[in-house]
Amino acid sequence: MKILITGNMGYVGPGVIINLRNSFPEAEIVGYDTGYFAKCLTNAAYFPDVPLNQQIFGDVRNFPSSLLKGVDVVIYLAAISNDPMGNKYEEVTMEVNCHSALRMAELAKKEGTKSFIFASSCSIYGAADDAPKKEGDSLNPLTAYARSKVAAEEGLAKLADDNFLVTCFRFATACGFSSRLRLDLVLNDFVAGAITSKEISILSDGTPWRPLINVKDMARAIDFGIIRKSANGGKFLAVNTGSKYWNYQVVELAEMVAKIIPGTKVSVNKNAAPDKRSYKVNFDLYEKLAPNHQPEYSLETTVLDLYKNLLGMNFSDPNYRSSELIRLQVLNNLQENKLLSETLHWNWKK
């Protein structure tokens, strides 16, 4: 089996790569990444892309179809990956997260690829009522990032058939340690705050709901996407991916971190404008379809793993929200050094 992963040099990629190598030891696994975050290593025992058979650098917006020859599975992780980046680079977000994914899926289908796996997001539900959202419920994307995921899902649904299975994992909010860690994610941010200042500053009023999933459990889900057949979910499957035990209000997350890391104070911004991105999610379908690939990490084990690894890398920067552990800051720094254009293309000639 030959597997192509786009966007493997991000936050999710390291866990996916090692998981694939262990689950499919004989597979030929190829990475394709533009390299924005290749250097963003955190407490890494080894270069996380070593288990690949080959690493190719390139932009998914200019993906060469020749690389799809003989590929059985495409895993599309490439993305402008959060709301702050999506807000600054709205057009690029749609190009990378949607248009390039659809073009690659079309090319892959023509080349005989059997399976296309797309990393979608529960954020497509946006502002929701109290009932946990199911896959058939209405979508209410509130940001450029969420809108790009909805558009990609809609396009991919039209491409799926008996010979080209499409699996869209609507992942809960990612969290947990990675050898390319991000701290622009709610739980990761809280643990970082607890370590550096013994204080968790909640930027909202703390009431929004978020479902979460450990980044390593995201990798387990992708395994399911590779082995599933059309009888298990259909030709096109968009499935909420997470656990019913991981629906929390933001303030609950902060209080749990404070409980695990003694001496931590929690402060809430009571004057914050309401955060409309609030949603509980129903994960019953994923539990039914993928009983052997259910999340294994709990909130407590995730926080402890983050805590241990951040201490292991001597993390102590109280200004981490302005550091290169924040993905938007990495892009800003590359642009300030004239290495990236406004459209996030490399400026090698300069």
Side-chain angles (χ1 to χ4, degrees), residues 65-214:
S65 59
S66 59
L67 294 182
L68 288 165
K69 292 188 183 300
V71 170
D72 300 288
V73 179
V74 172
I75 301 169
Y76 198 94
L77 300 179
I80 302 299
S81 57
N82 64 13
D83 291 337
M85 285 192 288
N87 293 338
K88 183 171 182 178
Y89 304 106
E90 188 164 350
E91 186 174 332
V92 178
T93 296
M94 187 59 75
E95 288 179 1
V96 171
N97 298 10
C98 176
H99 299 154
S100 296
L102 296 181
R103 177 175 174 269
M104 189 176 296
E106 290 172 355
L107 293 172
K109 185 175 179 178
K110 289 178 182 177
E111 289 291 343
T113 298
K114 301 299 182 186
S115 178
F116 191 93
I117 296 168
F118 180 74
S120 190
S121 169
C122 281
S123 68
I124 63 179
Y125 294 116
D129 53 29
D130 290 337
K133 302 299 284 186
K134 295 183 178 180
E135 287 81 358
D137 290 342
S138 60
L139 306 178
N140 187 19
L142 298 176
T143 63
Y145 171 77
R147 288 190 292 272
S148 72
K149 296 296 188 180
V150 171
E153 281 194 16
E154 291 173 347
L156 289 169
K158 298 173 183 176
L159 293 172
D161 62 26
D162 288 330
N163 298 311
F164 188 70
L165 261 60
V166 175
T167 307
C168 296
F169 289 110
R170 292 178 179 174
F171 285 117
T173 300
C175 62
F177 193 79
S178 161
S179 51
R180 284 196 177 94
L181 182 64
R182 288 171 52 188
L183 294 182
D184 49 11
L185 294 159
V186 61
L187 186 67
N188 298 1
D189 173 84
F190 289 171
V191 174
I195 290 173
T196 58
S197 62
K198 292 295 183 181
E199 181 173 1
I200 297 172
S201 301
I202 301 177
L203 302 180
S204 70
D205 64 3
T207 61
W209 286 89
R210 289 287 187 278
L212 278 80
I213 185 172
N214 189 290

Side-chain angles (χ1 to χ4, degrees), residues 7-25:
N8 63 283
M9 289 184 156
Y11 172 59
V12 180
V16 171
I17 289 170
I18 192 61
N19 205 66
L20 289 175
R21 180 51 68 210
N22 289 325
S23 298
F24 309 98

Side-chain angles (χ1 to χ4, degrees), residues 15-63:
V16 171
I17 289 170
I18 192 61
N19 205 66
L20 289 175
R21 180 51 68 210
N22 289 325
S23 298
F24 309 98
E26 302 303 317
E28 180 182 353
I29 308 173
V30 178
Y32 185 89
D33 197 286
T34 190
Y36 299 149
F37 312 115
K39 68 168 185 173
C40 298
L41 299 175
T42 46
N43 208 28
Y46 60 92
F47 193 61
D49 310 286
V50 166
L52 295 170
N53 294 89
Q54 186 180 15
Q55 176 67 57
I56 300 171
F57 289 98
D59 192 318
V60 290
R61 290 172 289 182
N62 302 302
F63 186 82

Side-chain angles (χ1 to χ4, degrees), residues 301-312:
T301 56
T302 298
V303 171
L304 287 171
D305 190 43
L306 276 165
Y307 183 52
K308 177 189 73 174
N309 277 283
L310 283 168
L311 292 181

